[in-house]
Amino acid sequence: MEQEILNTVFEVEREIREMVAAEQLRADGELAALRRECTDLAAGEEVRLQEELAAGVAAVETGEARRQADAAVTEAEARAGRLARLGDDQLTGFVQQGIRTILPGE
């Protein structure tokens, strides 16, 4: 009788160990799958963030270039306005002065 009880205890213990081992294998597999999924998600998020950063940098650069272009246009318009307001006598004087610097002895 005692031997039967010991055999039953040993059998139950063996079954418990097998169940624990099987559960450990299942958990290891799920953990590995979860790690792969997290790695894939992290890689995808990194790519998305890099693309977003590049787009942001391009937008800033484009905005800065537009501001510089607008400033250059404003300056050119102002200079053109000043030149348009010059009289013929003033323009003739500037042209003659320019010719003197270009042609020696004039």
Side-chain angles (χ1 to χ4, degrees):
M1 176 84 165
E2 284 182 28
Q3 189 60 37
E4 287 179 27
I5 293 173
L6 281 175
N7 286 341
T8 303
V9 168
F10 289 142
E11 182 64 27
V12 169
E13 183 182 1
R14 186 187 56 77
E15 289 175 6
I16 291 172
R17 285 186 182 162
E18 288 174 358
M19 289 181 354
V20 167
E23 186 61 26
Q24 184 65 49
L25 285 175
R26 187 191 65 75
D28 288 347
E30 287 183 10
L31 181 59
L34 185 58
R35 282 184 178 146
R36 282 191 302 276
E37 183 180 344
C38 287
T39 299
D40 292 345
L41 286 172
E45 186 66 11
E46 182 178 358
V47 167
R48 187 188 68 76
L49 289 173
Q50 287 175 345
E51 289 170 353
E52 191 175 302
L53 175 64
V57 167
V60 167
E61 289 174 350
T62 301
E64 181 61 27
R66 176 164 293 284
R67 282 190 292 280
Q68 289 175 356
D70 288 344
V73 167
T74 301
E75 184 180 334
E77 287 173 343
R79 187 169 190 197
R82 288 191 304 273
L83 291 174
R85 288 189 297 275
L86 290 176
D88 288 343
D89 292 340
Q90 289 174 313
L91 289 174
T92 301
F94 285 131
V95 171
Q96 287 174 347
Q97 184 180 5
I99 289 174
R100 277 188 232 126
T101 59
I102 296 171
L103 300 173
E106 289 290 321

